[in-house]
């Protein structure tokens, strides 16, 4: 018996029934009210294959639920002797409307809710499937229809401030929407309107009391562009809007309801969600899908939830309306009548649907027969006195169940989101490309430098080999010439001897006889023997003398050792004497300075008690002695300085350390620097850096060079004698912070000379400074920052004068990352120097792009705002205002300064 029931039937309690309408086949496939799983299987786009079907739409019938209001106090008193006019069978989803005590009409709905049904159950079976469809991208409508006083506003618009379980469909639906969306990518906007006396008014802005309804001629979509649209972020904001709207809604006291709504309330919730579109597969030439695929396209789903609280239908003789309330009742009944006509036409598949008869039907055009998923809840009362109104409400719900909608997802291609994402990707690619380009250029430069070094080395090797070969050839040539000359001399001697023999034989043969020649030969032989004997005698004497000396070697060695010890002791005493003289010289120099101070403070005060006749003599005598003392002091200083510089090469480490300390102290005075340099002190100090590995010697020598480097004339001499290379080597080898501080100070002083910048960079001065930062000591970093600031200032001055062009050498040597990293250093000296360096680098327009890519722009903006020194802040502001590149980038990043 139960299996033969349809969605609408009418029959007597005895078993006869009358079917109101047949059930379309699509109703059997419609999703259940209670399960979102089945809903999602129909609504959600689970695969690319289902896209075409969704674009054409999914059929969906209007779902109708009936809710019975419990008896109120008046009905309990007046109808105490009468039974309810309706009987509910919720387990069978049936409702019986009694005609009399023995006959009744039976109707079936999608849901039957008793007077004990909770607000939560009502929401879950009526509105929750519609809310889930809205979150999936479909439009949805929830509407309440019924006689006045049957609980429509309680069902839909109850806020539940006193009892949270009383929350209505409006509040609960927004709770589910907020729980499902993502605040970063999704947005929710709300409008709250009322249709009063055929005038559409804004409940959030009462002054906006005549809002036009606009229809899209292409799609037929209905919109109210003049309504207030408020974007909300949380549930509390929505509840506040509901409270404001309810306060502006028109209500009146009638016989049937003490707070009877005199207008139709329409809540519109616009949901905008970002989703990923389908993935386009790239096919190969033979038609097979390739493994390559385009990325998901960003799509925007725009859906709308409409919650309609219709004003109650009423009969004037029962409600007692009169005057203006009578006109209100007429307007309400007319609009409800127009809605009923439209639903009748849709249920009967009529060719003409009179949607233009009322603004209410125009607003609900998408809800009935359109593309929205619609749920209707009809509210009825139990009183038999209102059986006619109850029967009319039930018939309205039965006709609404026959209306078919075609559900469609409203989605658009999100051009803005895609554009923003592509812009971010383009920026990242540009930065990465610039970084790779810079790395490539650095690598090319490194390879070029390495190739040049190798070429130079090969050229030197070739030159040395060629010189050696040339010398060898010259030596061979000289040896050959010598041999030829010897051969020539031998040949000449042989020739002369032959000539002499021939002469003897021919010219003198007549005068010399053979006996004479024999005598001469015998004499020569005797002389030779005598010479040989003399040699042997001398050899024997030499052997005897050697034996005598061998016996006395031990005593000689002892005497030699004693002599060496005395000579060494004498040398030590002489060195100590020289040290004492240098100390005496320094003390005398300090006394001379003290005397000059006393003379400047008033030399006449010392002679006030002397006789006037004696004063000129004594004054001249003092002056003469002073001049003599100065001359002797100058001579003594020069002699002592020569001795001190000589001690720099001493083999004794203590003497050498003491001597270099004395030179460093003398170099601290500007008056002594010229004499130290002229005496060869600078060369000696550089030699110490080159030859000695003692940390103390190198530290004090670097400090002395730093003092000398404060004089511009000395800076060029230091560069000419290879001082930068030696300082760079010392910076690379040293680990002691004090040594590194001295070296950094010397290089920093050299960085302040405009003429030496290119040579300073070519000999590794900038690289040495950046290598020193490994120490991390604040004093060392302060000297490094000072050097970078001096170098940047010279570059800025050269660019302003037109002497220098091109990128900063600091940027080319990789100093910018360290500068940006330490621009906000806790140590004030470091921060001040770095801030000045950034300002000077930024003054040259060619450095702007590198500084932007390296993050220096943000530090410049911070300096222009937060720097403690007014002059640096002003310099940063002027620099930012004068650079077109910086101004363009700040406009792009929306930076205000």
């Amino acid at each position: 018996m139960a299996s033969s029931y349809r969605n609408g039937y009418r029959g007597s309690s005895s078993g006869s029934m009358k079917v109101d309408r047949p059930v379309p086949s699509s109703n059997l496939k419609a999703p259940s009210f209670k399960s979102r799983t089945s809903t999602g299987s129909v609504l959600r786009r689970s695969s690319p294959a289902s896209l075409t079907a969704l674009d054409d739409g999914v059929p969906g019938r209007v779902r109708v639920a009936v809710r019975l209001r419990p008896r109120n106090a008046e009905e309990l008193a007046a109808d105490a002797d009468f039974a309810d006019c309706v009987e509910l069978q919720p387990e069978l989803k049936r409702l019986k409307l009694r005609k009399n005590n023995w006959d009744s009409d039976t109707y079936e709905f999608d849901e039957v809710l008793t007077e004990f049904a909770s607000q939560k159950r009502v929401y879950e079976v009526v509105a929750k499937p519609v809310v889930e469809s809205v979150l999936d991208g479909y439009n949805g409508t929830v509407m309440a229809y019924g006689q006045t006083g049957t609980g429509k506003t309680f069902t839909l618009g109850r806020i539940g401030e006193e009892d949270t379980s009383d929350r209505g469909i409006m509040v609960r639906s927004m709770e589910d929407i907020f729980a499902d969306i993502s605040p970063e990518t999704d947005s929710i906007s709300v409008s709250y309107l009322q249709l009063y006396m055929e005038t559409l008014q804004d409940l959030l802005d009462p002054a906006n009391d005549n809002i036009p309804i606009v229809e899209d001629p292409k799609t037929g979509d209905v919109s109210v562009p003049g309504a207030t649209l408020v974007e909300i972020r949380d549930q509390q904001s929505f509840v506040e809007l509901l409270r404001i709207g309810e306060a502006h809604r028109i209500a009146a006291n009638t016989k049937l309801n003490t707070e009877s709504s005199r207008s139709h309330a329409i809540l519109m919730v616009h949901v905008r969600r970002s989703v990923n579109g389908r993935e386009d597969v790239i096919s190969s030439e033979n038609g097979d899908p390739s493994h390559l695929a385009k990325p998901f396209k960003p799509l925007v789903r725009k859906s709308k939830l409409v919650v309609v609280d219709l004003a109650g239908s009423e009969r004037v003789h029962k409600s007692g309306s009169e005057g203006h309330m009578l006109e209100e009742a007429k307007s309400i009944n007319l609009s409800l009548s127009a809605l009923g006509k439209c639903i009748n036409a849709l249920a009967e598949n009529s060719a003409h649907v009179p949607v233009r008869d009322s603004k209410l039907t125009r607003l609900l055009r998408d809800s009935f027969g359109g593309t929205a998923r619609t749920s209707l809840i009809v509210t009825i009362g139990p009183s038999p006195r209102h059986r006619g109104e109850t029967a009319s409400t039930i018939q309205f719900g039965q006709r609404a169940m026959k209306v078919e909608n075609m559900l469609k997802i409203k989605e658009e291609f999100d051009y803005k989101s895609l554009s923003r994402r592509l812009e971010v990707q383009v920026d990242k690619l540009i930065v990465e490309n610039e970084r790779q380009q810079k790395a490539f250029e650095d690598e090319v430069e490194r390879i070029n430098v390495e190739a040049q070094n190798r070429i130079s080395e090969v050229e030197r090797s070739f030159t040395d080999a060629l010189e050696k070969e040339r010398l060898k050839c010259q030596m061979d040539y000289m040896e050959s010439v010598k041999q030829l000359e010897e051969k020539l001399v031998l040949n000449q001697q042989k020739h002369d001897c032959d000539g002499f023999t021939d002469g003897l034989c021919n010219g003198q043969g007549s005068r010399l006889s053979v006996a004479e020649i024999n005598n001469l030969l015998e004499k020569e032989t005797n002389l030779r023997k005598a010479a040989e004997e003399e040699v042997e005698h001398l050899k024997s004497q030499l052997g005897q003398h050697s034996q005598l000396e061998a016996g006395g070697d031990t005593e000689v060695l002892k005497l030699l050792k004693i002599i060496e010890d005395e000579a060494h002791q004498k040398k030590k005493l002489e060195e100590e004497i020289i040290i004492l003289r240098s100390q005496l010289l320094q003390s005398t120099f300090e006394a001379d300075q003290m005397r000059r101070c006393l003379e400047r403070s008033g030399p006449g005060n010392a002679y006030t008690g002397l006789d006037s006749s004696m004063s000129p003599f004594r004054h001249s005598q003092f002056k003469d002695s002073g001049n003599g003392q100065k001359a002797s002091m100058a001579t003594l200083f020069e002699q002592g300085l020569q001795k001190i510089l000589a001690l720099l090469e001493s083999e004794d480490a203590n003497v050498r350390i003491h001597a270099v300390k004395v030179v460093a102290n003398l170099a601290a005075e500007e008056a002594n620097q010229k004499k130290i340099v002229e005496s060869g002190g600078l060369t000696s100090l550089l030699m110490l850096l080159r030859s000695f590995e003692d940390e103390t010697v190198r530290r004090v020598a670097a400090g002395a060079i730093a003092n000398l480097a404060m004089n511009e004339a000395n800076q060029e001499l230091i560069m000419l004698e290879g001082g930068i290379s030696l300082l760079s080597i010392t910076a690379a080898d040293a680990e002691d912070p004090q040594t590194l501080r001295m070296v950094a100070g010397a290089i920093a002083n050299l960085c302040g000379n405009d003429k030496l910048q290119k040579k300073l960079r070519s000999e590794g001065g900038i690289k040495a400074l950046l290598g020193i930062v490994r120490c991390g000591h604040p004093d060392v970093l302060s000297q490094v920052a000072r050097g970078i600031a001096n170098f940047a200032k010279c570059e800025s001055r050269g660019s302003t004068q037109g002497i220098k062009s091109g990128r900063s050498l600091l940027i080319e040597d990789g100093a910018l990352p360290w500068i940006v990293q330490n621009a906000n250093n806790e140590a004030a000296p470091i921060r001040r120097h770095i801030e000045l360096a950034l300002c000077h680098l930024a003054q040259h327009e060619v450095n702007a792009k590198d500084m932007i890519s390296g993050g220096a722009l943000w530090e410049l903006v911070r300096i222009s705002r937060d720097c403690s020194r007014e002059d640096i802040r002003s310099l940063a502001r002027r620099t930012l205002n004068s650079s077109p590149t910086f101004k363009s980038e700040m406009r792009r990043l929306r930076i205000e300064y």
Side-chain angles (χ1 to χ4, degrees):
M1 187 69 178
S3 62
S4 64
Y5 291 146
R6 300 300 182 190
N7 281 351
Y9 72 88
R10 182 175 58 211
S12 64
S13 59
S14 61
S16 63
M17 65 180 66
K18 178 180 178 181
V19 177
D20 282 345
R21 66 175 177 84
V23 179
S25 60
S26 62
N27 290 347
L28 300 176
K29 300 178 182 179
S32 170
F33 267 77
K34 297 181 181 180
S35 173
R36 190 175 181 186
T37 305
S38 59
T39 303
S41 65
V42 177
L43 300 182
R44 287 184 177 164
R45 305 192 296 171
S46 58
S47 65
S50 65
L51 289 170
T52 305
L54 287 173
D55 292 339
D56 295 338
V58 176
R61 176 177 58 79
V62 175
R63 314 292 292 174
V64 181
V66 61
R67 185 181 192 186
L68 177 65
R69 172 183 59 77
R71 289 192 176 192
N72 55 30
E74 181 183 355
E75 291 170 347
L76 288 174
D79 301 332
D81 298 332
F82 300 95
D84 293 346
C85 66
V86 292
E87 179 184 349
L88 304 183
Q89 296 177 338
E91 65 280 357
L92 300 177
K93 299 182 180 179
R94 295 178 189 168
L95 178 147
K96 289 185 178 181
L97 179 63
R98 290 192 178 94
K99 295 180 178 179
N100 46 48
N101 291 334
W102 58 86
D103 191 12
S104 63
D105 293 332
T106 303
Y107 303 92
E108 187 173 284
F109 291 90
D110 294 302
E111 287 292 339
V112 175
L113 303 168
T114 67
E115 65 270 28
F116 304 109
S118 65
Q119 290 280 74
K120 181 179 180 181
R121 172 166 169 73
V122 172
Y123 168 72
E124 288 180 347
V125 301
V126 175
K128 189 169 185 177
V130 178
V131 173
E132 292 174 344
S133 298
V134 170
L135 291 172
D136 287 330
Y138 296 87
N139 288 343
T141 303
V142 179
M143 186 170 65
Y145 178 91
Q147 182 188 6
T148 181
T150 54
K152 298 184 296 302
T153 303
F154 177 82
T155 300
L156 295 181
R158 188 76 171 182
I159 297 178
E161 293 178 335
E162 298 178 356
D163 188 355
T164 56
S165 63
D166 287 343
R167 302 191 313 280
I169 288 176
M170 292 181 180
V171 177
R172 293 177 184 269
S173 62
M174 290 304 298
E175 289 176 352
D176 280 358
I177 290 174
F178 278 118
D180 194 76
I181 67 168
S182 173
E184 291 79 10
T185 58
D186 306 336
S187 63
I188 299 175
S189 303
V190 173
S191 296
Y192 201 11
L193 312 172
Q194 70 173 356
L195 183 62
Y196 175 70
M197 298 288 286
E198 284 301 305
T199 301
L200 192 59
Q201 301 176 356
D202 196 337
L203 290 175
L204 302 179
D205 184 11
N208 191 8
D209 58 359
N210 190 10
I211 302 173
I213 300 175
V214 179
E215 296 182 15
D216 190 336
K218 295 182 180 180
T219 63
D221 292 340
V222 178
S223 61
V224 282
T228 301
L229 192 63
V230 180
E231 184 173 351
I232 56 176
R233 294 290 182 181
D234 52 44
Q235 183 70 11
Q236 185 62 34
S237 302
F238 174 72
V239 172
E240 290 297 328
L241 290 179
L242 275 187
R243 190 177 290 108
I244 293 172
E246 290 298 326
H248 294 148
R249 190 176 177 187
I250 299 174
N253 185 6
T254 66
K255 292 181 179 180
L256 298 178
N257 189 357
T258 57
E259 294 183 2
S260 177
S261 300
R262 314 307 291 169
S263 64
H264 307 298
I266 302 104
L267 175 70
M268 294 184 178
V269 181
H270 301 269
V271 180
R272 184 181 186 277
R273 306 196 73 180
S274 298
V275 295
N276 287 328
R278 57 179 175 270
E279 188 177 24
D280 296 334
V281 179
I282 303 174
S283 301
S284 58
E285 295 180 356
N286 57 5
D288 298 332
S290 172
H291 66 282
L292 299 176
K294 294 181 180 179
F296 286 103
K297 298 178 180 178
L299 299 176
V300 175
R301 287 182 180 174
K302 296 181 179 179
S303 56
K304 179 173 64 176
L305 173 64
V306 180
V307 183
V308 184
D309 181 12
L310 295 173
S313 60
E314 62 182 55
R315 295 184 180 180
V316 176
H317 70 277
K318 289 186 177 182
S319 64
S321 301
E322 57 185 13
H324 184 67
M325 290 177 58
L326 179 60
E327 297 299 323
E328 293 175 344
K330 289 179 180 180
S331 176
I332 292 171
N333 289 336
L334 283 174
S335 60
L336 293 177
S337 175
L339 178 61
K341 290 178 182 179
C342 291
I343 290 178
N344 287 339
L346 291 169
E348 296 171 1
N349 294 323
S350 175
H352 173 66
V353 181
V355 293
R356 296 186 177 276
D357 290 353
S358 172
K359 288 188 177 181
L360 177 62
T361 54
R362 291 176 65 190
L363 283 172
L364 298 178
R365 182 173 183 174
D366 191 46
S367 303
F368 293 96
T371 61
R373 177 174 296 282
T374 302
S375 288
L376 172 66
I377 180 167
V378 293
T379 57
I380 58 177
S383 174
R385 289 182 298 161
H386 305 302
R387 184 187 179 284
E389 288 82 351
T390 301
S392 175
T393 301
I394 293 173
Q395 291 296 334
F396 181 88
Q398 288 288 293
R399 288 192 294 272
M401 291 177 68
K402 300 177 183 179
V403 177
E404 289 283 344
N405 290 350
M406 189 61 64
L407 311 183
K408 290 184 179 181
I409 287 181
K410 303 292 181 67
E411 63 183 16
E412 300 173 357
F413 190 80
D414 191 0
Y415 293 98
K416 293 183 179 179
S417 175
L418 180 60
S419 176
R420 288 193 300 269
R421 189 173 66 184
L422 291 178
E423 284 180 359
V424 172
Q425 291 180 355
V426 168
D427 290 340
K428 289 182 179 178
L429 290 175
I430 289 173
V431 172
E432 183 64 24
N433 182 48
E434 290 179 351
R435 188 179 294 112
Q436 292 180 358
Q437 182 69 21
K438 180 65 170 59
F440 176 75
E441 291 175 356
D442 293 343
E443 183 66 16
V444 169
E445 183 179 358
R446 185 188 65 80
I447 293 173
N448 288 335
V449 171
E450 185 176 351
Q452 291 176 0
N453 292 336
R454 289 184 179 179
I455 291 171
S456 300
E457 185 178 355
V458 170
E459 288 178 350
R460 286 194 300 270
S461 300
F462 178 76
T463 302
D464 295 341
L466 185 62
E467 183 66 21
K468 289 179 180 179
E469 189 66 24
R470 187 181 64 81
L471 293 175
K472 183 179 179 182
C473 291
Q474 288 180 353
M475 294 298 295
D476 292 342
Y477 172 75
M478 295 298 294
E479 186 68 22
S480 300
V481 170
K482 186 177 180 180
Q483 290 178 359
L484 290 173
E485 289 177 350
E486 290 177 354
K487 288 181 180 180
L488 179 61
V489 170
L490 289 174
N491 290 332
Q492 289 178 353
Q493 290 178 355
K494 183 177 181 182
H495 179 72
D496 292 342
C497 182
D498 291 340
F500 175 74
T501 305
D502 292 341
L504 288 175
C505 293
N506 296 326
Q508 298 179 1
S510 59
R511 287 177 295 172
L512 295 176
S513 63
V514 176
E516 292 177 350
I517 293 172
N518 289 330
N519 292 330
L520 290 173
L521 182 60
E522 185 177 356
K523 286 181 180 180
E524 290 293 331
T525 304
N526 294 329
L527 290 174
R528 180 178 178 183
K529 289 182 178 180
E532 288 178 356
E533 290 176 357
E534 183 68 20
V535 168
E536 291 295 332
H537 178 69
L538 291 174
K539 284 183 178 180
S540 63
Q541 289 182 353
L542 180 62
Q544 293 175 1
H545 182 70
S546 299
Q547 290 177 358
L548 291 175
E549 285 185 350
D553 281 346
T554 304
E555 295 181 0
V556 172
L557 290 175
K558 288 182 180 180
L559 292 174
L560 289 175
K561 182 173 178 58
I562 293 171
I563 292 171
E564 286 179 0
D565 291 341
E566 290 180 354
H568 186 67
Q569 188 68 22
K570 180 181 178 182
K571 188 176 180 180
K572 279 188 176 182
L573 292 174
E574 289 178 352
E575 289 175 352
E576 290 178 1
I577 292 170
I578 292 172
I579 292 171
L580 293 174
R581 285 181 179 177
S582 66
Q583 292 176 352
L584 176 61
L585 177 63
Q586 188 172 355
S587 300
T588 308
F589 180 74
E590 293 175 357
D592 185 54
Q593 288 184 336
M594 182 64 70
R595 182 182 57 78
R596 291 177 183 176
C597 293
L598 293 174
E599 287 180 356
R600 284 196 298 268
S601 65
N605 294 335
Y607 302 100
T608 54
L610 297 178
D611 184 72
S612 59
S613 61
M614 295 298 294
S615 295
F617 170 75
R618 294 187 178 182
H619 182 68
S620 61
Q621 185 180 5
F622 177 79
K623 183 175 181 181
D624 294 339
S625 64
N627 291 333
Q629 187 178 5
K630 287 181 181 179
S632 61
M633 285 297 299
T635 305
L636 181 61
F637 178 79
E638 293 177 0
Q639 295 176 354
L641 182 60
Q642 292 293 337
K643 295 291 185 177
I644 293 170
L645 295 177
L647 290 179
L648 294 177
E649 301 177 3
S650 174
E651 295 179 358
D652 192 334
N654 293 328
V655 173
R656 189 169 57 249
I657 292 172
H658 190 82
V660 75
K661 286 182 178 180
V662 172
V663 174
N665 290 332
L666 293 175
E669 296 292 336
E670 186 176 358
N672 302 333
Q673 292 179 358
K674 183 177 180 181
K675 294 181 180 179
I676 293 174
V677 173
E678 291 176 351
S679 301
L682 177 59
T683 305
S684 300
L685 291 171
L686 293 174
M687 287 296 295
L688 288 178
L689 284 183
R690 181 183 292 111
S691 58
F692 286 97
E693 297 181 357
D694 185 84
E695 192 69 29
T696 304
V697 172
R698 291 199 301 179
R699 179 176 68 251
V700 181
I705 294 172
N707 291 336
L708 294 176
M710 290 188 292
N711 190 320
E712 185 175 355
N714 297 336
Q715 293 173 357
E716 297 182 4
L717 291 175
I718 293 173
M719 296 294 291
L720 289 174
E721 296 191 19
I724 281 295
S725 300
L726 293 175
L727 290 171
S728 301
I729 295 172
T730 305
D733 295 341
E735 296 295 336
D736 180 51
Q738 296 301 322
T739 304
L740 292 174
R741 182 172 69 86
M742 297 298 181
V743 173
I747 298 177
N749 290 336
L750 295 174
C751 286
N753 194 321
D754 297 343
K755 304 175 184 178
L756 307 178
Q757 289 215 315
K758 290 186 178 179
K759 189 170 183 181
L760 183 70
R761 187 249 183 155
S762 64
E763 294 186 7
I766 303 300
K767 294 288 187 182
L769 269 182
L770 296 177
I772 291 174
V773 301
R774 71 182 185 277
C775 175
H777 195 280
D779 293 340
V780 178
L781 297 182
S782 177
Q783 294 297 327
V784 174
R786 183 171 69 88
I788 290 176
N790 289 343
F791 199 94
K793 183 177 181 181
C794 291
E795 282 192 328
S796 175
R797 187 161 52 237
S799 300
T800 304
Q801 296 172 357
I803 301 173
K804 182 187 180 303
S805 61
R807 294 168 63 209
S808 169
L809 299 179
L810 289 172
I811 294 178
E812 291 184 356
D813 277 1
L816 186 58
W818 186 83
I819 294 174
V820 174
Q821 181 182 357
N822 289 271
N824 199 15
N825 196 290
E826 295 180 356
I830 301 174
R831 185 173 63 254
R832 184 178 69 255
H833 291 310
I834 293 299
E835 289 173 347
L836 283 172
L838 277 174
C839 293
H840 289 310
L841 287 175
Q843 288 180 341
H844 196 21
E845 185 67 18
V846 74
N847 299 330
K849 291 185 178 179
D850 292 303
M851 297 185 71
I852 290 172
S853 62
L857 176 58
W858 295 101
E859 294 300 331
L860 282 172
V861 173
R862 180 192 61 77
I863 293 168
S864 67
R865 294 175 179 171
D866 304 332
C867 183
S868 59
R869 287 182 50 172
E870 178 63 28
D871 56 339
I872 300 179
R873 284 204 307 273
S874 301
L875 180 60
R877 293 194 195 100
R878 290 198 305 272
T879 303
L880 290 173
N881 288 326
S882 62
S883 172
T885 305
F886 285 146
K887 292 171 70 175
S888 174
E889 182 67 11
M890 286 189 291
R891 282 195 301 270
R892 189 182 74 82
L893 297 175
R894 296 182 176 86
I895 299 175
E896 296 180 0
Y897 63 95

